[in-house]
Amino acid sequence: MMDDDLASRPCSWLSPQGPESDVVLSTRVRLARNLGDWRMPWRLSAEEKSDLYDLIAGKLEDAAPVPDASMERIDQLPGLKRDVLVERHVISRELAQGDGARGVLFSRSEDSSVMALEEDHLRLQAIRRGLQLESTWRAVDLLDDALEDVFDYAVSEEFGYLTACPTNVGTGLRVSVMTHLPTLVETGQIPKVKTAASRVGLVLRGFRGEGSKSQGDFFQISNQVTFGKSEEDIIRLVQSMAGKIVEWERGVRRLLVEQDRTAVENRVWRAWGALQHARIMSSEEAMEKLSLIRLGVNTKLLVHLTLGDLNELFLYIQPGHIRTLTGAGEEPRDRDEMRARFIRQYLADRAR
Amino acid sequence: MMDDDLASRPCSWLSPQGPESDVVLSTRVRLARNLGDWRMPWRLSAEEKSDLYDLIAGKLEDAAPVPDASMERIDQLPGLKRDVLVERHVISRELAQGDGARGVLFSRSEDSSVMALEEDHLRLQAIRRGLQLESTWRAVDLLDDALEDVFDYAVSEEFGYLTACPTNVGTGLRVSVMTHLPTLVETGQIPKVKTAASRVGLVLRGFRGEGSKSQGDFFQISNQVTFGKSEEDIIRLVQSMAGKIVEWERGVRRLLVEQDRTAVENRVWRAWGALQHARIMSSEEAMEKLSLIRLGVNTKLLVHLTLGDLNELFLYIQPGHIRTLTGAGEEPRDRDEMRARFIRQYLADRAR
């Protein structure tokens, strides 16, 4: 069950001790799986969904593929708690906003989860701090093996794993690496990064995934194609491209600081001033300012916060977390005031 | 003689103890006068100008109409020192940038001065803190009486005092009240103020006078017409309109704080954050930010600075003062860095 203090804990996968954590926040690997005996979720009646949910939940609780995990029935959860789970990447926005019986199996560590009756019958996920494709892939692969023992997956010899949406057919694999690219944004090089990624079948998207605008210079790099390549090939491809982007961003950071250290300091410290003093702040603006602080911390221009603090704030300033942590109401203005107050208090506590 | 530490002293006329100093920074009264025996300055040769300058300077030093004052020959002064005098309102930008022999008589208090060979042969000026039309007018009137004893003014029975520019003919009187109208700006009421002023023959102009854009919500209210009205009428007219504008601005300040205190605090404190942390700041931006701090001090939302501090900063952040106080070079970027550093240091000293 979702505990009440979830929103006041950092996420283990947002810890700054991961590889390349100056540029990469986290690595996520997801598998789409479906049961051969059931129609795809979008073709199920409400009653069938409810029956299937009970079946899946029962089997997941018996198999216990994630240690100390339990099922959370999302359609019976208040909207605010759903928002918190979305912001923590435990569930997708689609699962939060879907119809009918659906849920998620997850543990306190939040680094593995299984969504039931999202777009597919099952979505298996592992998420880890920093850039670690191999180990994250291994974690989700083990989870997949465990579930394969209890579920009868829909597989075609020709196409591989069958999925609700044709873009997932084959491996059913989606790999996403969350990166922070402030100086590639500033120097106008994001289109080049996008082109380089798409040339090898990868895609660079905004922070909130498909169709979203990037916020605060955070971008996800992920695979487009799930079919015709092995899982290992996809993992290696993303690892290689993410590694290149990391070096690219690092190079531009060094260059900008060398060329005009004061100009970078000016932007970083102004962001600090705004976070310290604003009385009203949207989550979009908070993301932008935290992005600049992160740049300042990574280039050693600002030492008042650690990357760990920033990752915590990055999580806590999201609307659902702010509402939970401060008791703010649903009105954006109320949230924006509470967010500004929360940030001021957080920074004041760190300054002590 | 202009002393070397002039730029590091506050101006007496910028002291915050003046009447209505929450809205009015200063009152200035200026008289344009010319000598009957000489052609207007723009018609004089360089040699004639030089001769006339010597004559005027000699008579001014003999008559000593301003206590402890001495003549400063502007055309022999380095550009930076001229800039400082302009920023302190001791001389006009026209005198600083003019041609040939020209100068100014002024004392350490800087509250009275006589410019020689600006647009007119003589420009007499008195400047006082806050809104005080009567006493400022009396000061310049006494100065005028003293000069009338030693100079033979060009006067026509029909037109009054003759001046180089027809817009000054008659009384030769220009009255300017420098006001700070941040909430009239914010609520879009400046056009209404302009209309109200022009209806009675007055004009509202930006901070640097004729043709200038306003900076940081500072506006001058002054008379358009110098002819057909007595000096006392003009003084009363400006006094009355300035009083109305003061009440107008005060009312809107109260209203904005009552309606949404947090929104005002948000803007004020963000300005504070920028001043405290920026590494590069133009004088335009510094003016804008100081304007917001002034609003915060006047509405008691911010108590870290006094109006006196603000008036000092308001003076010191001007380009000529910043260059003199910090040794910054002529490059705008260099000035903007030194300005940001100067402001940070000033605020840190006040916080102690």
Side-chain angles (χ1 to χ4, degrees):
Chain A
M1 285 293 288
M2 182 173 169
D3 52 8
D4 283 338
D5 65 342
L6 183 70
S8 56
R9 282 203 308 266
C11 292
S12 65
W13 56 265
L14 256 178
S15 150
Q17 277 87 41
E20 330 298 354
S21 65
D22 54 330
V23 179
V24 178
L25 280 83
S26 60
T27 301
R28 182 161 49 154
V29 179
R30 199 208 64 201
L31 290 172
R33 296 288 183 261
N34 288 279
L35 310 189
D37 302 336
W38 294 77
R39 284 182 292 172
M40 289 295 167
W42 61 275
R43 295 195 56 199
L44 296 175
S45 70
E47 218 179 329
E48 288 169 321
K49 262 197 180 180
S50 181
D51 291 345
L52 178 54
Y53 179 83
D54 290 342
L55 183 142
I56 291 175
K59 289 202 176 194
L60 282 178
E61 283 180 322
D62 286 348
V66 178
D68 301 319
S70 57
M71 282 302 286
E72 188 74 46
R73 178 108 183 216
I74 295 300
D75 52 313
Q76 293 172 359
L77 212 58
L80 182 54
K81 291 200 168 189
R82 291 182 208 177
D83 289 347
V84 168
L85 290 176
V86 171
E87 291 166 5
R88 300 178 79 83
H89 294 204
V90 169
I91 65 173
S92 62
R93 198 159 290 279
E94 291 65 35
L95 192 76
Q97 296 169 347
D99 277 320
R102 60 200 191 279
V104 63
L105 179 83
F106 75 104
S107 70
R108 199 178 151 87
S109 79
E110 299 169 75
D111 62 2
S112 297
S113 64
V114 180
M115 287 189 281
L117 299 182
E118 203 239 31
E119 189 178 273
D120 296 290
H121 294 148
L122 296 169
R123 287 253 171 128
L124 292 56
Q125 169 182 289
I127 184 165
R128 296 289 184 274
R129 59 203 184 187
L131 183 64
Q132 24 185 348
L133 269 300
E134 281 294 340
S135 59
T136 315
W137 158 243
R138 240 177 294 129
V140 84
D141 194 29
L142 283 174
L143 187 55
D144 189 37
D145 289 346
L147 296 196
E148 207 150 20
D149 292 341
V150 290
F151 292 108
D152 193 15
Y153 284 162
V155 194
S156 136
E157 275 203 21
E158 191 183 352
F159 298 116
Y161 292 101
L162 299 180
T163 54
C165 177
T167 60
N168 292 317
V169 162
T171 58
L173 176 72
R174 187 79 69 191
V175 180
S176 307
V177 174
M178 174 89 80
T179 57
H180 179 229
L181 310 177
T183 66
L184 290 177
V185 171
E186 198 200 335
T187 56
Q189 296 190 75
I190 292 297
K192 281 196 219 165
V193 182
K194 287 194 176 174
T195 304
S198 73
R199 218 173 271 146
V200 293
L202 302 182
V203 64
L204 195 77
R205 289 200 188 89
F207 156 65
R208 292 200 191 285
E210 266 172 89
S212 76
K213 265 181 59 188
S214 78
Q215 279 184 342
D217 313 325
F218 296 96
F219 293 86
Q220 286 186 35
I221 173 117
S222 54
N223 61 312
Q224 280 279 52
V225 176
T226 56
F227 180 71
K229 278 201 175 100
S230 74
E231 287 87 346
E232 286 73 16
D233 283 349
I234 294 170
I235 293 294
R236 271 193 295 269
L237 192 63
V238 177
Q239 173 84 41
S240 158
M241 178 55 65
K244 278 180 198 148
I245 293 173
V246 166
E247 287 309 320
W248 200 345
E249 168 66 25
R250 280 182 186 153
V252 181
R253 283 182 193 176
R254 270 194 303 270
L255 196 71
L256 284 187
V257 173
E258 272 169 32
Q259 281 178 343
D260 194 344
R261 184 187 171 91
T262 306
V264 182
E265 282 180 327
N266 186 47
R267 298 191 307 126
V268 166
W269 281 100
R270 281 171 180 260
W272 178 258
L275 290 170
Q276 269 208 320
H277 292 293
R279 263 51 182 171
I280 304 170
M281 190 173 279
S282 68
S283 61
E284 289 74 18
E285 188 193 353
M287 290 282 284
E288 278 166 30
K289 301 297 191 253
L290 287 176
S291 166
L292 284 165
I293 303 296
R294 174 175 271 272
L295 174 63
V297 169
N298 278 321
T299 50
K300 299 187 174 49
L301 298 179
L302 190 150
V303 295
H304 298 48
L305 288 180
T306 65
L307 275 189
D309 296 332
L310 282 168
N311 285 347
E312 262 186 56
L313 269 177
F314 176 72
L315 187 67
Y316 294 159
I317 56 134
Q318 313 290 327
H321 276 77
I322 278 296
R323 287 185 58 202
T324 308
L325 290 168
T326 66
E330 278 194 72
E331 280 294 307
R333 165 66 187 264
D334 192 29
R335 277 208 312 263
D336 291 352
E337 281 188 37
M338 291 303 230
R339 179 178 295 109
R341 183 180 300 179
F342 179 86
I343 294 171
R344 289 203 308 280
Q345 188 59 51
Y346 189 96
L347 298 184
D349 289 347
R350 287 303 169 286
R352 249 182 239 145
Chain B
M1 284 293 289
M2 180 173 171
D3 51 10
D4 283 337
D5 66 344
L6 184 70
S8 56
R9 283 203 308 265
C11 293
S12 66
W13 56 266
L14 256 177
S15 148
Q17 277 86 42
E20 331 299 354
S21 65
D22 54 330
V23 180
V24 178
L25 280 82
S26 61
T27 301
R28 182 160 49 154
V29 179
R30 198 209 63 199
L31 290 172
R33 296 289 183 259
N34 288 279
L35 311 189
D37 302 336
W38 293 76
R39 284 182 293 173
M40 289 296 167
W42 61 276
R43 295 196 56 199
L44 295 175
S45 70
E47 219 178 331
E48 288 170 322
K49 262 197 177 178
S50 181
D51 291 346
L52 178 55
Y53 179 82
D54 289 342
L55 182 142
I56 291 175
K59 289 203 175 193
L60 281 177
E61 282 180 324
D62 285 349
V66 178
D68 302 320
S70 58
M71 281 303 284
E72 188 74 46
R73 177 107 183 216
I74 294 299
D75 52 313
Q76 292 171 359
L77 212 57
L80 182 54
K81 290 199 169 190
R82 293 183 207 177
D83 288 346
V84 168
L85 290 176
V86 171
E87 290 167 6
R88 299 178 78 84
H89 294 206
V90 169
I91 65 173
S92 63
R93 198 159 289 279
E94 291 66 34
L95 191 75
Q97 295 168 348
D99 278 320
R102 59 200 191 279
V104 63
L105 180 83
F106 74 104
S107 70
R108 197 177 153 87
S109 80
E110 300 168 75
D111 62 1
S112 297
S113 63
V114 181
M115 286 189 282
L117 300 183
E118 204 239 32
E119 188 180 274
D120 296 289
H121 294 149
L122 295 169
R123 287 257 171 124
L124 292 56
Q125 169 182 289
I127 183 165
R128 297 287 185 273
R129 58 202 183 188
L131 183 64
Q132 25 184 350
L133 270 301
E134 280 295 339
S135 59
T136 315
W137 159 243
R138 241 177 293 127
V140 84
D141 194 29
L142 282 173
L143 187 54
D144 189 38
D145 288 346
L147 296 197
E148 206 149 21
D149 291 343
V150 289
F151 292 108
D152 194 13
Y153 284 163
V155 193
S156 135
E157 275 205 20
E158 191 181 352
F159 297 115
Y161 293 103
L162 299 181
T163 53
C165 177
T167 60
N168 292 318
V169 161
T171 57
L173 176 72
R174 186 80 67 192
V175 180
S176 306
V177 174
M178 173 89 81
T179 58
H180 179 229
L181 310 177
T183 66
L184 290 177
V185 171
E186 199 200 333
T187 55
Q189 296 188 77
I190 292 298
K192 281 196 219 165
V193 182
K194 287 193 174 172
T195 305
S198 72
R199 217 173 271 144
V200 294
L202 302 182
V203 66
L204 194 76
R205 288 201 189 91
F207 156 65
R208 294 201 189 283
E210 266 172 271
S212 77
K213 266 181 59 188
S214 78
Q215 280 184 341
D217 312 326
F218 295 96
F219 293 86
Q220 285 185 35
I221 173 116
S222 54
N223 61 312
Q224 279 279 53
V225 176
T226 56
F227 180 70
K229 280 205 174 94
S230 75
E231 287 85 346
E232 286 74 14
D233 283 349
I234 294 171
I235 293 293
R236 271 192 295 269
L237 192 63
V238 176
Q239 173 84 42
S240 157
M241 178 55 65
K244 277 179 200 152
I245 294 174
V246 166
E247 288 308 322
W248 201 346
E249 168 66 24
R250 279 181 186 155
V252 180
R253 284 182 193 177
R254 269 193 305 270
L255 196 71
L256 283 188
V257 173
E258 272 168 33
Q259 282 180 341
D260 193 345
R261 184 188 170 92
T262 305
V264 182
E265 283 180 326
N266 186 47
R267 297 192 305 127
V268 166
W269 280 100
R270 280 171 179 262
W272 178 258
L275 290 171
Q276 269 208 319
H277 293 293
R279 263 52 183 171
I280 304 169
M281 190 174 277
S282 68
S283 60
E284 290 74 19
E285 189 193 352
M287 290 283 283
E288 277 167 32
K289 301 295 190 256
L290 288 176
S291 166
L292 283 165
I293 303 296
R294 175 175 270 273
L295 174 63
V297 168
N298 278 321
T299 50
K300 298 185 175 50
L301 298 180
L302 190 150
V303 295
H304 298 48
L305 288 180
T306 64
L307 275 188
D309 296 331
L310 283 169
N311 286 348
E312 263 187 55
L313 268 177
F314 176 72
L315 187 68
Y316 294 159
I317 56 133
Q318 313 290 327
H321 276 76
I322 278 295
R323 286 186 57 202
T324 308
L325 290 168
T326 67
E330 279 195 70
E331 280 294 306
R333 165 66 187 263
D334 192 29
R335 278 209 313 264
D336 291 351
E337 280 188 38
M338 291 303 232
R339 179 179 295 109
R341 183 180 300 181
F342 179 87
I343 294 171
R344 288 202 309 280
Q345 188 59 52
Y346 189 98
L347 298 184
D349 290 347
R350 287 301 169 287
R352 250 181 239 146

